[in-house]
Amino acid sequence: MNKHVLAAGVFAAGLASVSQNASATDYPLTLENCGRTVTFDQAPTRVVALGQSNTEILYMLGLADRVVGTAVWFNPVAEEYRDANAKIPRLADNDPSFESVVGQKPDLVTNQYQWHVGPNGAVGTIKQFSELSIPVYTAPADCVGKDNTTGGDGTRLDAFSMDLIYRTITEMAKIFDVEERGAELTADLRAREQAARDRVSDVDGRGISALFWFSSAELDVDPFVAGQKGAPAYIANVLGVKNVIESDDEWPKVGWETIARSNPDIIAIGKMDRRRFPADDWELKMKFLQSDPVTSQMNAVKNDHVIVLDALSMNPTIRTINGIEKLADAVDGFHMDTSN
């Protein structure tokens, strides 16, 4: 508790300098974004947000009144934004159509994943939106240090860092000419992350291993699990916990027999409202782990060391910090022997 209070105090003390450093946006504004340039002649007034993280960042920046459509949701919106979110059309829980997006007459489309809007986007391509003079801003966390041409969820060349989320906030604040709000939000989140790091500094997680299971196309097939360079790896690294999956792919498919041989001490399973796959249901994941003849023999399952994480915290989002806190609680609460 004291550390959280201290973090809040550090944040409050820094607001004066933050406000002094923030400046008004000069238009036209040109940004480098995912290997291309995007230019804004003025602050957008009609935004379609594809991806829950980008949507919540807009809300946190006080821009809910600019959002005219959302899509790609994993979990309920943060409680403090429920009323504002309820007034905004949800174009789809998952992938909206190109027509539904342009039908909102946006002057900006912001997307969390390139596979929705990118060179070969499932919703549309950059070229399609450019032909309609609609700029697209993609979250840097999905393209900086990442190769999305490898299929699936792409391959990270560089490990994810929360700095990519702070960059998103800073750039979106600049696009909308709310740089002071962006600076304050970033300072607040940095203080929270530091408080989380301080919280886990007393938890020696070294020697403990973990698996992060996001979902599966079917319950009895190879699951989508976290690789070495995504958000779950960032969470684990902060605690000194070893991710048992060696792949650099964002969410590689790995067989349960291979996972069982690695025998993780902790299994984190993703919880989401999305129901694209049967294993999107965390309770079905839990039942599978306990009943399958292979998975039920793993130490994490036998010792009841299975935790449930918000799916957004397992992705590169502002909620990744929540994942750090939840895994730290697990390591601490399980009273694991880290001497081996």
Side-chain angles (χ1 to χ4, degrees):
M1 178 65 71
N2 289 339
K3 290 179 179 177
H4 288 292
V5 171
L6 176 60
V10 171
F11 165 60
L15 287 186
S17 60
V18 164
S19 299
Q20 290 174 0
N21 292 333
S23 59
T25 301
D26 290 328
Y27 297 102
L29 169 69
T30 299
L31 297 174
E32 294 290 330
N33 182 241
C34 294
R36 60 190 178 83
T37 60
V38 57
T39 299
F40 300 90
D41 294 324
Q42 60 186 11
T45 60
R46 298 183 60 83
V47 187
V48 171
L50 307 181
Q52 185 170 350
S53 183
N54 282 11
T55 301
E56 291 190 347
I57 288 174
L58 288 168
Y59 294 167
M60 289 179 177
L61 290 173
L63 298 168
D65 61 337
R66 312 282 186 96
V67 182
V68 295
T70 71
V72 192
W73 289 85
F74 289 103
N75 295 96
V77 69
E79 185 173 357
E80 58 266 39
Y81 305 114
R82 285 181 183 175
D83 290 344
N85 186 68
K87 301 173 185 176
I88 298 169
R90 181 174 292 199
L91 307 182
D93 290 338
N94 295 308
D95 305 349
S97 67
F98 177 76
E99 291 75 16
S100 69
V101 174
V102 299
Q104 302 304 310
K105 298 180 173 56
D107 52 8
L108 170 63
V109 170
T110 176
N111 59 307
Q112 190 171 334
Y113 303 109
Q114 271 197 320
W115 70 274
H116 283 124
V117 182
N120 300 293
V123 176
T125 65
I126 298 293
K127 181 179 179 182
Q128 283 178 296
F129 284 105
S130 294
E131 289 173 347
L132 298 176
S133 299
I134 301 173
V136 174
Y137 175 83
T138 302
D142 196 55
C143 60
V144 174
K146 186 179 178 202
D147 182 1
N148 288 320
T149 67
T150 59
D153 292 296
T155 300
R156 287 203 177 269
L157 307 176
D158 301 320
F160 164 76
S161 165
M162 280 298 294
D163 287 341
L164 292 173
I165 303 302
Y166 303 143
R167 174 176 169 180
T168 301
I169 294 169
T170 299
E171 291 184 344
M172 290 180 73
K174 195 170 186 69
I175 290 169
F176 287 92
D177 194 18
V178 290
E179 292 185 75
E180 184 172 328
R181 294 182 205 167
E184 291 176 358
L185 175 57
T186 300
D188 187 20
L189 292 172
R190 285 186 183 279
R192 285 185 57 202
E193 181 175 8
Q194 186 59 53
R197 288 176 179 273
D198 292 344
R199 155 74 177 82
V200 302
S201 64
D202 296 332
V203 180
D204 182 6
R206 302 198 179 281
I208 296 175
S209 61
L211 172 81
F212 298 85
W213 179 16
F214 192 80
S215 190
S216 305
E218 298 291 342
L219 275 170
D220 57 352
V221 302
D222 296 351
F224 296 106
V225 291
Q228 284 289 325
K229 295 183 177 180
Y234 184 86
I235 293 170
N237 287 338
V238 166
L239 299 175
V241 171
K242 178 186 177 182
N243 177 7
V244 298
I245 302 302
E246 299 294 335
S247 174
D248 287 344
D249 288 350
E250 188 86 347
W251 294 104
K253 290 197 292 184
V254 180
W256 280 116
E257 291 188 359
T258 299
I259 294 170
R261 284 194 293 271
S262 69
N263 202 18
D265 297 304
I266 298 174
I267 297 176
I269 58 178
K271 179 181 180 181
M272 66 197 84
D273 282 3
R274 187 194 78 171
R275 290 295 181 268
R276 176 176 290 171
F277 305 125
D280 288 347
D281 186 335
W282 73 270
E283 292 179 315
L284 291 182
K285 289 191 189 78
M286 191 74 77
K287 290 178 181 177
F288 173 82
L289 290 173
Q290 295 168 347
S291 62
D292 182 81
V294 174
T295 61
S296 61
Q297 298 307 304
M298 291 190 290
N299 286 344
V301 180
K302 291 193 293 185
N303 296 328
D304 196 24
H305 290 170
V306 181
I307 64 172
V308 181
L309 290 185
D310 180 335
L312 269 188
S313 71
M314 297 172 74
N315 275 290
T317 71
I318 53 176
R319 296 196 191 186
T320 300
I321 295 170
N322 298 348
I324 296 173
E325 296 169 335
K326 189 71 178 286
L327 185 58
D329 289 343
V331 172
D332 196 21
F334 293 156
H335 302 294
M336 291 183 170
D337 180 6
T338 61
S339 60
N340 296 325

